[in-house]
Amino acid sequence: MSANELVDGARPQSPIPAMKAHHISVCICTFKRVELLKQLLERLDNQRTDGLFTYSVVVADNDSLRSAEQVVATFSSTAHLPVTYCVEPQQNIALARNKALEHAKGDFIAFIDDDEFPAEDWLCTLFKAYMMYGVEGVLGPVKPHFESAPPPWVEKGKFFERPIYSSGYEMDWTQARSGNVLFRKDILGPGNPAFQSEFDTAGEDVDFFRRMMERGHKFVWCNEAVVYEVVPSSRCKRSYLLRRALLRGSNFPKHPTHRFANAAKSLIAVPCYAVALPILAVFGHHLFLKYLIKLFDHTSRLFAYLGLRLVTQRET
């Protein structure tokens, strides 16, 4: 489908000048995932543009030992894709995102995670959706790509599948994540950093979208702009999923909105899930584990409201 076909019938809020050359800065924050980063850069080197924009990449290394530097240098020595390398030595995902934005030269920003890789039309599809819907940003699906066949309980429980929506659906901030997104850089504005450093291990992207949407900026879903998350066998373990729930819960109370209501929900959820688990076990291990994860999440939230974080480091 051509850009003209996508634009026909759309009602853009901010018409795009036909002669303006747009540039997308694809931002990647990475931490000790050199092989996955190499794969991602290779996939980004062949993105379709359909003549609508140019693009480059910013790699923000969150490792003070600069483990990604050689990967970027080797890639840049043969690739045509411009790549800027920078380092954020303090291990903090929000600071790493801000460091990437400092070096981003485009009028558009895209974020993709270092354990993901895109379809060849990923950027082009996001950009065409932006033109079609006339919003400030566009998000797309992140689908699992298992390195090896996962255990049956992983498939039945769909633990690595994320919600999807119909294209054009306007996102709520609670549904938004940064693993697959394109937005206009000018929405960031001057002043405070785009990502808040108190969200040091997770949740910084949800907070970002909350603040952007409170300013009136709109983000929609594009179901055709697909990226894939690499899921190694080491993640297909109960311990990984439970630890991830504890980390997610530890960061949740940092969001300033609806704190009392959210705490009340967790107070109700914890005993309800605890009572229900023996019954759910009868209907299958995947169902039992799904609600055990919810129990861990809400328990971690309650501890965090008391100032106690059960998990403070994300796994690589």
Side-chain angles (χ1 to χ4, degrees):
M1 181 178 292
S2 69
N4 289 334
E5 288 173 323
L6 271 173
V7 175
D8 285 346
R11 297 183 297 277
Q13 297 172 353
S14 303
I16 299 173
M19 299 304 293
K20 183 178 180 181
H22 293 284
H23 185 86
I24 301 173
S25 291
V26 181
C27 295
I28 305 167
C29 298
T30 189
F31 180 72
K32 295 184 177 180
R33 287 175 173 164
V34 292
E35 289 301 320
L36 290 173
L37 177 61
K38 178 183 176 182
Q39 175 180 266
L40 172 54
L41 290 173
E42 290 171 350
R43 296 294 187 114
L44 287 171
D45 198 23
N46 298 307
Q47 285 289 296
R48 276 178 43 199
T49 67
D50 289 3
L52 297 172
F53 56 87
T54 57
Y55 71 101
S56 59
V57 172
V58 179
V59 175
D61 193 348
N62 205 195
D63 180 9
S64 60
L65 299 178
R66 306 172 73 97
S67 56
E69 186 172 22
Q70 187 57 51
V71 174
V72 174
T74 300
F75 173 80
S76 298
S77 67
T78 57
H80 298 293
L81 175 62
V83 181
T84 299
Y85 175 82
C86 56
V87 180
E88 172 49 64
Q90 182 178 341
Q91 193 176 339
N92 180 304
I93 184 59
L95 293 179
R97 293 197 189 281
N98 290 333
K99 181 67 70 173
L101 290 175
E102 286 177 20
H103 291 81
K105 306 302 182 185
D107 55 328
F108 283 83
I109 301 294
F111 270 105
I112 186 170
D113 289 347
D114 63 347
D115 59 349
E116 298 173 352
F117 63 88
E120 67 176 12
D121 61 349
W122 168 61
L123 272 184
C124 195
T125 304
L126 283 176
F127 191 80
K128 288 179 179 179
Y130 160 78
M131 292 195 300
M132 178 177 183
Y133 296 108
V135 290
E136 283 71 32
V138 183
L139 296 95
V142 178
K143 299 183 178 182
H145 176 82
F146 295 99
E147 287 188 334
S148 57
W153 60 267
V154 170
E155 291 187 315
K156 290 186 71 175
K158 300 180 178 180
F159 293 107
F160 293 95
E161 295 187 18
R162 310 184 192 193
I164 59 173
Y165 311 92
S166 58
S167 292
Y169 171 81
E170 185 173 333
M171 304 294 288
D172 181 79
W173 65 268
T174 59
Q175 302 164 325
R177 302 293 185 273
S178 60
N180 180 358
V181 63
L182 172 79
F183 58 86
R184 291 203 327 261
K185 187 180 181 182
D186 62 8
I187 71 172
L188 301 178
N192 294 329
F195 295 91
Q196 303 301 306
S197 60
E198 58 264 32
F199 293 90
D200 50 354
T201 55
E204 81 296 336
D205 50 352
V206 178
D207 174 71
F208 167 79
F209 287 109
R210 176 187 62 79
R211 287 181 288 108
M212 293 300 106
M213 292 180 189
E214 285 179 353
R215 295 177 191 174
H217 300 314
K218 294 183 179 180
F219 294 78
V220 298
W221 184 262
C222 178
N223 207 41
E224 295 75 30
V226 181
V227 304
Y228 298 90
E229 177 189 22
V230 178
V231 184
S233 57
S234 60
R235 292 189 187 179
C236 296
K237 295 180 179 179
R238 299 164 186 83
S239 58
Y240 173 84
L241 295 170
L242 294 172
R243 180 181 174 83
R244 186 173 69 172
L246 291 176
L247 179 63
R248 182 171 58 245
S250 291
N251 282 286
F252 186 84
K254 295 176 181 177
H255 296 291
T257 57
H258 310 300
R259 289 178 58 83
F260 291 108
N262 288 327
K265 288 179 182 177
S266 292
L267 282 171
I268 295 171
V270 166
C272 289
Y273 288 144
V275 170
L277 283 176
I279 301 172
L280 293 169
V282 176
F283 295 95
H285 176 68
H286 67 288
L287 194 60
F288 171 83
L289 184 58
K290 180 175 290 188
Y291 283 88
L292 181 61
I293 289 170
K294 292 178 182 290
L295 174 61
F296 272 47
D297 188 330
H298 283 283
T299 300
S300 185
R301 293 184 190 189
L302 292 178
F303 274 96
Y305 279 118
L306 297 174
L308 301 172
R309 297 181 64 186
L310 299 182
V311 173
T312 59
Q313 296 289 332
R314 64 167 63 195
E315 294 185 20
T316 58

